[in-house]
């Protein structure tokens, strides 16, 4: 009968530095997963989006950018229903940020 050691047979071929690097990469991937938005949160976001007045409403928002979550604050300068995005004018950038509606995680009106 063959005694198979499973994963253990391969561990002698990996250096401890490589094992640590793979574990670190796994932790970073888990950390960058965007949060899942349920239906109630989605309704609240839609209600807040309807109450935004273009050019007047200051907002703070968290949105997805790739696998990361980014924070931004500023004045909403445009809502493009046809293109499904909003334009946010921030102090940090020369041009307004173009943020798709489906990338918005949370928004706070000021």
């Amino acid at each position: 009968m063959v005694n198979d050691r499973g994963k253990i047979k391969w561990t002698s071929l990996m250096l401890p530095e490589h094992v640590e690097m793979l574990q670190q990469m796994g932790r970073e991937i888990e950390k960058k997963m965007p949060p899942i938005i349920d239906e109630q949160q989605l309704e609240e976001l839609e209600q807040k989006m309807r109450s935004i007045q273009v050019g007047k409403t200051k907002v703070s928002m968290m949105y997805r950018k790739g696998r990361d979550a980014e924070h931004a604050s500023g004045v909403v300068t445009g809502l493009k229903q046809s293109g499904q995005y909003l334009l946010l004018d921030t102090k940090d950038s020369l041009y307004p940020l173009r943020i798709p509606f489906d990338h918005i995680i949370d928004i706070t009106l000021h």
Side-chain angles (χ1 to χ4, degrees):
M1 181 154 100
V2 177
N3 185 12
D4 186 16
R5 298 184 307 155
K7 290 182 182 179
I8 296 173
K9 65 184 170 195
W10 300 108
T11 56
S12 63
L13 299 175
M14 294 182 68
L15 294 173
E17 294 85 12
H18 294 151
V19 173
E20 175 60 33
M21 182 179 64
L22 289 172
Q23 290 172 346
Q24 178 67 26
M25 288 172 58
R27 287 190 294 266
E28 287 177 8
I29 289 172
E30 287 176 8
K31 181 176 75 172
K32 291 184 178 183
M33 293 302 291
I36 298 171
I37 299 175
D38 64 9
E39 288 184 33
Q40 184 177 3
Q41 290 172 321
L42 189 59
E43 265 185 47
E44 290 175 5
L45 278 175
E46 289 175 357
Q47 187 177 19
K48 289 178 184 179
M49 295 293 285
R50 281 190 229 109
S51 64
I52 291 176
Q53 295 178 359
V54 176
K56 297 179 182 178
T57 307
K58 291 183 181 180
V59 297
S60 298
M61 63 181 357
M62 183 170 41
Y63 63 97
R64 280 192 342 253
K65 187 173 183 180
R67 295 190 104 184
D68 296 329
E70 298 282 331
H71 294 275
S73 308
V75 176
V76 176
T77 57
L79 287 171
K80 307 296 182 189
Q81 297 295 332
S82 60
Q84 297 290 312
Y85 65 91
L86 67 80
L87 297 173
L88 184 68
D89 191 20
T90 63
K91 295 178 183 177
D92 301 334
S93 64
L94 295 174
Y95 302 103
L97 293 175
R98 181 178 170 169
I99 303 170
F101 291 151
D102 59 346
H103 289 198
I104 297 172
I105 298 168
D106 189 26
I107 190 165
T108 305
L109 307 175
H110 297 286

